[in-house]
Structure formats: C-alpha cells, structure tokens
C-alpha cells in the first residue's frame, strides 16, 4: 500500500495505539466507584493548560457549557481544541483567550446565525493557529479509530482537495482494489466534555435523541468529564441496560448540572437561548464587548447557578422548556433584526 | 430580499432547488435554503423524499424549521435518531442521492471553497471550513450547489479547495479515489441554473431566470461560461409554493426573511 | 504502507466499494413502502442458489430460524455462509446440504452443549469447504467496513497466526506508527437474515438487549430479510426514534413470525428450547438421523406454525417464556445426561 | 469428574483461576469454567471485578449461569447491553486486564489451536475455530489458559495456530504487530499451574496441585518443561468456595457436573 500524499496538518491527539494502551493501563480503571464532583473540581483535576480538548454534542446542541465557562473562569491557556462542528463552545473559548491552536471541521460560524466575530478575529490576527483541516466525517472517524485502538480509519472523503493537503491524513493505494483511499489518523483527546440528560454516580450515561459523534468520542477520550441534567439511581441504568450509551469505565468525572447545556439546546428538555447567543454575537464584535460578556456571565458570577439567574432565571428557563416542547415561539434577536 | 414579479430571490432559489429533488429519493440537507427546498419538495411533488441530517436525524416529520443541523427538530418523529457515523457511512456506502452545498468561492469545475480567503496560514478572511461539505461533495450521487453569484464568488481558481467538484476535469475524481458516479449536478444562482455539460466537466448555463440575460451571467462570472444549445427559462415559484413556504415551512421567517 | 503477508483465504462477500455503490444505486430504494411478505416469498425472492448468506444474532440467540427452515424446505443449494459464531443456523443448513462453503469464526460447535456432528461430518468428508478462517472481531469488522463503504478496516488481531494465513486479510506496515497492522477486508453479504422483537411494516426495527454484530451487519447487507415477533404501528417507531436500531432503508422484506427464533433464544421473551436443540444434536450423529429430524420438523410441516405445534405447541412456548423470565427451570436433555 | 480430597477437578480449576483475578480489574469471559471462575472471584475476593462478554454484555448481575456468551443472562441487569464492536474495541484499545482461553492443542510458547487437527484443507478433526479466542489472545493484557493436559494436547507444535501465544518467543508478538504487554499469563491444568518465565517465553511449572509430582507433569507434556526454582503447591478449593459454586453459581450443574 503505497502512500500517495501526506497532509501537512499537525497530528493533534494522535497516539501510537501501544502508547495509548500503556496510558490506559496506568490511568484508567474499571472499578465501579462514585465519580461525583463539582465542575470546578473536574476542571482543576483534568484540564491542565495545554490540554487537547474536544466537546460532545454539535453546534449549539447538548454542550457541556458549565465546563466551558469554568475553563474560562480558571483562565486555562494554550489549549488545543477540536473544531468538530464545535460552535458556541469553541467561539467563547477562543474569545476568552484559552485556545492556542485548533483543528477545524466546522468552526468560526454559528450556522444560520452568522459567522463568529471573536474566533475569526483570533485566527485572522494570528493569535490562534489552525494547525489542521478536516471534515465532519473526518473527525467522526478520527474518534472511531481512537475508540477502536487502531492507528487510522480508511475513508473516501477529503481526496483531491486542499482539505486533505492541510489535514493530518494521508492517501494511499488500497491493496484490495488498487484504488486510492484516504487514511484518517485516529485521535484520543486529552479531555472530552459531554453533557447528558441522565447518568448514575458511576458515570453510566443515557442520551435521548441523536448521538452525533458522542458514542465514539466518549470512548476515544483519555479523560471524560460528564455533566448531567440529573444523577439517577444505578437501578434506572440496570433496568434498561440497552439505553446506556456511555458505560462508566470511560468516565472520570460526573457533575450534576441542571440546564448544563444553556444557552445551547438540550433535546426534549430546553431550547437554545437565542437571546444569550445573540448577545454574545453582538458583543463579541469587539474585544471590549468580549470582556463585557465574560465579566457579566463568567467572572461576575460565582457558579453556573448564578449564571443561570443572570441569564433570566426560572422564568427564562421555563420559557426555553416551553419552546422546546413547541408550546411557545422562540425569541431570537437575530430574527427580529430581519423583520422587513 | 429583492422582490420582483411577486417572489423573492430566496423563494426562487428554493423553488428551483426543490424541483430537482425527485420523489422516493434521498437528500442529505443542511440548514437554510437546502432544508426549505427539501421540505417544499416533500409538500409538493416528492412526498416520498427522505431527508437526512448529518448529525443523525433520519426521516423526521419537522414541526417547525430547524435552526441547526443537530436541532431536535431534525429528529422529531423521525424514523431514526442515529449518529454522524451512521449517516456518513450511509452516504459513503452509496445510499444518498442528493446533497446540497453552499460556497464562498466556486470554480468552473464545481470545486468549492468554504475554508479561507487568502493564504491558509495568514488568512484575509477565515471561513467555517468544510463541516460536512467535503463529505457531502465526496459521497452523494448528485450535489446541488446554491450560491449568490458574482465575479468574486465564481472564480477562475479557488483560494482553497475545501470540497471536490470535478477537480481538474473529466476522470479526475475517480483518479483521486473519490466514489464513482458522484459530483456536482447543478449550480443554482440568483441568475440561472448550470449543469456540468461544458467541455471537460465545466459549468454550462442551461436555464436563465425570468428577466435575466446571458450577458448578465457573463458579467457575474470570472471564467468563460459555456451556454447550452437549448437554453431554458426557469419556471418561477407558484403562488401555491410561496404560500406553503410562508405558512407551513417557515412562518417565523428564519430563512425566508434573510 | 507495504504489504507484509497476504492471507490465502477466499475473499467471500467482498465488493469493490464502487461496484457495491453501483449495485445499491440499481437495487435499493429509500422509498417508504410496505415490505410485508411471507417467509416463503422472501426466500423465493431474495435467496437464490449460490448466495452468500449471513445470519444475525449469535450462537443460539435471536436467529431468524423460520427463514433457515424455509431455505431447507426449498432445497437451496451451493450457498456460502458466514460462520460468524453462527451455530444452530449453520449446523442445520450444513446438515441439510444447503451449504457449499463457509468462512469460519466459530462454527461446528454448540458452545457448552458440545460439538456439531452434522457440520463436522460435512467438512471432514470434504462435502463442504472452509474457504477462509477469521475471528469474531474479524467478522465484526468485515461488516463494519461493509457498512461504511470502505475496502477494509485496520485491526490488531489475527497477526502472527495461521488464522491470518488462512484468512482473506492482509498485514501491512501502518504509515503512522511504522508497525504492522492487519487489514480486514469488508464484506457485503448477498443476504442477511435477522429476527427482531418488533418493527413496522416498512422495516424500522427495534432490538432489546445486546446488538451483537447486528448494527453493522444489517447495514452491510445487500438484501436484508427481517422476521419479527410483532409488526407495530409506524407511530411506535416515531415516538422513540432513538430506539430504531435498523432504519427501513436497509430492509427488503418484513415477515411477522411470532416465536421466529425458536428453538433459539429471544431475549426477554423466550428461552432456548434445549429439548429440540438436544434432539437435533442426538439425531444429527448420523445422516439418517439428520433426515429424520428434517422430515419431522421441516418437510413434514407446511409452515413455521405447524413446526411450533410439533415442537410442543403453546404449552412448550409458555414454558420457554417462563424460563426466560426466571420463573421456571430449563429442561435440557444434555444436562440430564450429566447427573451423576 | 474425579473427586479426591473433597473437590472435583473442575472445582479445582475454577478455584485456581478465580484467585488469579484481582479486584477492580476486568475480564473478558466465555461460557464454562471461565465464567464460573469470574463469578466465584466476584463472590469472594474480587467484588469489583468487571465481567464482560464479547457479544455485548457489560457488568451483568447474572441471576443464573448463562449457557451462551450471548444468552440474555449475560446482560441481565448489566450496566450496558452493547455490541461486539463495542466490546472488541474496548479490548483492542487496552481496557481489558484478563482474558480466558481454552485449547485443543497448546505449545510451549502458549500458542493455541482450536481450529483443526490434521491438515486445514483435509481435516482429521474439524474444531470450532477461533471464535473470539484470537481476539482475546491478541487484545487482553493477561490471558489465562485452562486445559486438561496430556501429551496429545501439550504438543511441540500445534497443527494450526489459531490464537497467538508468544509465537516463537521473546519479542515475536511485538514484531508481528500485536499490542505490547499482552500475552499468556498462566496455564492451569488438572496437574498444576504454569507461567511463561521459561527460556525465551516458554511454559514453566510454578505450582503443583496437591498430590501431583513433577514426573506426572512431564509424563503429560510433549515438550521439555522448565520448573521454577520455588515450586508452590496449589491451595485447594475451600468448602466455602465449593458451596458458593454449587449453591449460588451453578445449582443446576450445567458446568460443574461436566
């Protein structure tokens, strides 16, 4: 199998599978122990400066925002981040100066809401480096390989493009067909953050709705911090074991954080808080605005509960619940601006 | 938002795109115009069209317009709420007929840039990157590109090829290892519709929207454009289509008011 | 990536991904149509002589036995079969003379119950050829590759053994680590048979309990015949879409067959019928016994319902339900024989 | 089934195997003796032992002894009812401490045959094949081999190497590409216990069961066997262990009465 082309992107989060196995032998345990801790403790313990982090969920859906805010509060620096259709998490971490480099599948944009002023400024000014490009499937399969303990996954995307040229993948001749395939290197992020609707104190997690990349991503993580709407009794897990998407062995920290995805969506529970997202998009047009946002919502509050109060408290949260259940219309400043 | 003849540009683009989607086929859609085109097709000529979202939503019955590709609306009453691995495998294995792509830059072979304007490592403007676009452009049988065309967007050479069109022409996709019988199918702009029947797999104008001339198209394109022998005029969106779009699909104007 | 070693096993069920895509374009449809038919119709339509078949489930668990019996009844010949910890299905098809060749991960045995006289005789006499060897993970990943539309999946098993030498895999140098890996070729079986607890008439299937290989296997199939305990309304599927393990697009036939896994187990519903399995194991020690078994249970009955009657009817089925729910002890002739 | 000193061979093998399993570790188990060893360990010194089945059962609370690796008992009140892809990935990634293997033939390097006696294509006796054995022997950190030994089983050279032991000795697994720090850990037979501390990763007798001599072992082995400087005598199963096995784990005698 001859190599045709080697992407010049930095190989973020790649570990020789033997080295990864040795790390697991030393650092992970299959013991069924209580892993509950606060978000502050989890960030302190598992996210040192310089970590390569990846966030579960997608865009503004099911994101462990309490961990993201805590990373900012603790002024973590020189992080590398997976831009795996990371959107809000990515943008605020970039804005807060936590990030030194990233690999991008989709970043710098908030889908329909428009581009991300803060993180674009960070990259265009040279403060942050995009060290590799990939695609959504590219990332998905980096984590599949990471989960499987193999060095790469073959695929048929990326080929022929600059995305390949700037990726960490290689193309090679497949020995079974004689045709070119791309070899997507596996990834085992230093830390993965994930928000789930429910889990037990050991970390056995259920997820309602689409899994996005989280089945493979959770299993590829070196350290896995789970925040959850609710900690349920072990009995809830054991009575329907086929609902366990992430078994406890992969999990390092379990933090109970109701509304922990806010201002992002939690399927079946609450809708995007488009007012907060809109406020961020508006303020983050300048560095001063970025500071104003963080002073108000991160440094100016002592924890996530106080943040939720400031974001509108129980009236706002009830509204978001009702929008998610299709009982109310969403309120979006970016939508109001469009009224003719 | 320019409204002429009783319809807006967005309505026109959505209507034209929706008509390309055949009944009982499948389409991998993103947010924005493609989602509206898919939903409009389902409510008109293609009730059997399967809409799939890369984050895992398969065959949803969407109660309101999703604002994200992973939004819970994309798997509301779906036949499956699955994963990206599942959906991307489905596409790579060859099950998906149509895919949609947007572009910041588009060249004559249908190659697309959504990554960066200027040099990659010293960008003039940083754009979101591939997202699922490279995957859609690699895996689906026929991709439909929707772009508001002008000379800065329809360029001789993209600053960065994020997503493969026909690369440098006939046979290049296959030589690169991309799946056979895939590639750009149509380009829809505010001026007309193009296929890739031009020399060596290049864009060829096959229809003009009402009131547009070939000269208008040429003035908004940086490369030489071929014109099909039989040049059609687009059928504009009907009042019925416009009503469905505003009443049933996007009453809040999330996309339509853009 | 240089090739180190090439297994000499036959490459069963492998298709160049482009050829497989062309086949899918021509033969599969994403239209949501009623796919209900009888098992007889499904076998007639989708399993011609010479097909390469693979069976869902595992060992004696969740096996589409009504399809297996119908294949025997219709005297299908020259089938190739995936011995993917296929046990009862494999053994009776071998015994019935339907199989010409197989690839083996685990075959020729019934786990704790002992070896398989009929299929061992078939191979030892030369009537059936084992054309390739692999392992359980080897098979699992052949189907993962088949599902993904890639030519192979890299792995770290098989290496250094005769299992590799007699497999259809190759070993090669991984270009990321410089170490050897095995490349397991993908498989797209001609026909996959699967039994599920419930699905709708379009083929959207839910499965309770472990999935074994069925997530990937169902997606890798060219033709997928699903038998189900129960056909439920589409509404049942749509109200919990995360429970759909197999979406309809992969499915070609939906056959409602209550107790359709008998004498194998259906998790949560009914236990193994060890009396029938034991009868087969005892009779299949001779070719005459094999004929006696099939005369009684296949050729001597007109359909699966009549077979169930002959196997003990509703009293037996109720017993198997009660054993599965831990309300009664199993009755196993091979166990009785062991009493000291 | 020979009963001496108040315990059977099976009880002895199970007891010895169970003591090798440390608390708070994980083991990939099959049906038969390994499953009983794992369950006994959980009920004695290793309540935190995680038992995993290759078909997808993770951390079950088994109400009765499963008779198959995919039997619903293997995921009864489990922490997860998963899949083979998931469990095999878990093992390949390096999470599994112990694996169990049986063998029709075993050589001095711990290589195992469960595929065929005689020539592969013209077999004298066809055996089941690898099943998950090759995977267990490739992926888990320490494999425990249980075999009833005699000269036909402990052979100079296996007719077919189904599952890798140390192949042809020191460093051979790594050279073949198998994961580092894996391989056979102990062999347990009806006569004694072996490790692989012999020259060039060969079997070495480290313990004799009560009443067995080195000569007995030599007489039941086709290759020369090294003997550890300090040769232990196996602690036989206690009455308590035997009671747990018969009362709680296998009251029906599914395995114990074999």
């Amino acid at each position: 199998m001859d190599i045709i082309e080697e992407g010049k992107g930095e190989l973020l989060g790649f570990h020789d599978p033997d080295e990864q196995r040795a790390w697991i032998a030393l650092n992970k345990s299959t013991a069924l122990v209580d892993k509950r801790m606060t978000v502050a403790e989890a960030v302190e313990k598992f996210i040192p400066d310089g970590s390569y982090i990846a966030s579960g969920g997608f865009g503004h859906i099911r994101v462990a925002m309490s961990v993201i805010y805590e990373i900012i509060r603790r002024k973590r620096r020189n992080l590398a981040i997976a831009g795996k259709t990371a959107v809000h998490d990515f943008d605020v971490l970039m804005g807060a100066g936590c990030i030194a480099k990233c690999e991008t599948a989709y970043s710098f944009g908030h889908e329909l809401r428009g581009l991300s002023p803060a993180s674009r400024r960070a990259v265009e000014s040279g403060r942050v480096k995009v060290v590799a490009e990939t695609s959504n499937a590219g990332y998905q399969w980096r984590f599949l390989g990471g989960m499987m303990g193999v060095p790469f996954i073959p695929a048929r995307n990326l080929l022929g493009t600059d995305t390949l040229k700037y990726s960490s993948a290689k193309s090679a001749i497949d020995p079974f067909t004689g045709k070119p395939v791309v070899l997507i290197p596996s990834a085992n992020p230093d830390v993965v953050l994930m928000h789930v609707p429910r889990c037990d104190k050991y970390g056995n997690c259920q997820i309602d709705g689409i899994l996005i990349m989280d089945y493979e991503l959770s299993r590829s993580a070196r350290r896995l911090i789970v925040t959850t709407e609710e900690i349920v009794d072990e009995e809830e897990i054991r009575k329907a074991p086929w609902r366990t998407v992430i078994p406890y062995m992969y999990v390092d920290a379990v933090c109970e954080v109701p509304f922990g995805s806010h201002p992002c969506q939690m399927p079946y529970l609450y809708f995007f808080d488009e007012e907060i997202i809109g406020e961020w998009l508006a303020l983050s047009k300048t560095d001063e605005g970025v500071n104003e946002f963080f002073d108000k919502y991160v440094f100016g509050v002592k924890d996530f509960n106080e943040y939720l109060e400031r974001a509108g408290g129980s009236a706002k949260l009830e509204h978001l619940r009702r929008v998610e259940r299709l009982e109310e219309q969403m309120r979006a400043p970016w939508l109001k601006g469009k009224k003719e | 938002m320019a409204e002429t003849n009783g319809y807006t540009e967005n309505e026109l683009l959505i209507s034209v795109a929706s008509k390309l989607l055949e009944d009982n086929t499948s389409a991998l859609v993103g947010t924005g115009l493609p989602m509206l085109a898919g939903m409009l097709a389902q409510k008109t000529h293609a009730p059997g069209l399967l809409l799939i979202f890369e984050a895992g939503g398969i065959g949803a019955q969407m109660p309101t317009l999703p604002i994200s590709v992973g939004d819970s609306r994309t798997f509301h009453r779906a036949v499956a709420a699955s994963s990206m691995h599942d959906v991307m495998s489905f596409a790579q294995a060859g099950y998906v007929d149509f895919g949609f792509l947007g572009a910041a830059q588009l060249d004559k072979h249908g190659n697309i840039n959504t990554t960066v304007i200027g040099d990659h490592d010293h960008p003039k403007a940083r754009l979101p990157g591939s997202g699922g676009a490279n995957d859609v452009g690699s895996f689906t049988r026929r991709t439909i590109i929707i772009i508001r065309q002008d000379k800065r967007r329809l360029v001789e050479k993209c600053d960065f090829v994020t997503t493969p069109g026909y690369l440098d022409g006939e046979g290049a996709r296959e030589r690169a290892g991309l799946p056979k019988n895939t590639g750009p199918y149509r380009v829809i702009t505010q001026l007309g519709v193009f296929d890739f029947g031009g020399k060596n797999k290049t864009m060829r104008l096959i229809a003009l929207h009402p009131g547009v001339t070939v000269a208008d198209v040429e003035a908004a394109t940086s490369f030489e454009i071929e014109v099909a022998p039989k040049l059609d005029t687009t059928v504009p969106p009907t009042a019925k289509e416009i009503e469905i779009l505003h009443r049933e699909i996007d009453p809040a104007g999330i996309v339509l008011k853009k």
Side-chain angles (χ1 to χ4, degrees), chain A residues 8 58-61 85 104-115 119-120 123-124 129-138 140-141 144 154-164 166 179-181 208-213 215-216 265-268 271-272 274 323-326 328-330 334-335 338-340, chain B residues 1 3 8 31-33 54-57 63-76 80-86 88-89 92 115 119-135 138-139 157-164 167 174-180 252-258:
Chain A
K8 60 183 184 182
F58 188 87
H60 297 74
I61 290 103
T85 307
T104 284
Y106 181 99
S107 324
F108 314 106
H110 289 246
E111 297 187 81
L112 281 180
R113 303 169 190 87
L115 295 172
S119 49
R120 294 181 79 202
V123 166
E124 289 165 10
K129 295 285 174 207
V130 180
V131 297
E133 302 285 338
T134 188
S135 69
N136 283 352
Q140 169 66 73
W141 292 329
L144 173 62
R156 308 189 71 195
N157 55 350
L158 307 183
L159 294 157
T161 65
D162 292 326
T163 309
L164 174 58
Y166 283 83
K179 295 178 181 176
V181 285
D208 304 331
I210 52 171
L211 300 182
I212 315 166
M213 307 191 198
Y215 192 91
E216 292 79 14
Q265 185 192 45
M266 194 64 189
Y268 304 108
F271 200 67
F272 313 92
E274 292 295 337
V323 178
E324 180 62 11
R325 293 197 304 255
L326 302 164
E328 274 179 31
Q329 291 291 314
M330 71 164 173
W334 53 266
L335 183 60
K338 286 157 80 183
K339 298 272 184 211
E340 280 155 301
Chain B
M1 207 111 51
E3 180 150 351
T8 65
T31 41
L33 300 179
E54 60 183 13
T64 61
L65 192 67
I67 60 175
S68 161
V69 177
D71 186 341
S72 54
R73 278 60 171 146
T74 64
F75 51 92
H76 183 82
S82 177
S83 70
M84 183 169 289
H85 172 50
D86 191 33
M88 287 299 189
S89 294
Q92 188 169 242
T115 299
D119 177 64
H120 180 271
D121 295 338
H122 304 90
K124 251 187 268 177
R126 175 67 214 199
L127 306 171
S130 160
N134 180 288
D135 313 314
S138 299
F139 300 154
K157 189 177 176 338
C158 292
D159 290 4
F160 189 100
V161 175
T162 310
T163 298
L167 301 175
E174 291 76 6
R175 281 192 299 277
L178 291 163
K180 269 192 192 169
I254 293 170
V255 171
L256 290 172
K257 286 193 182 137
K258 235 179 188 167

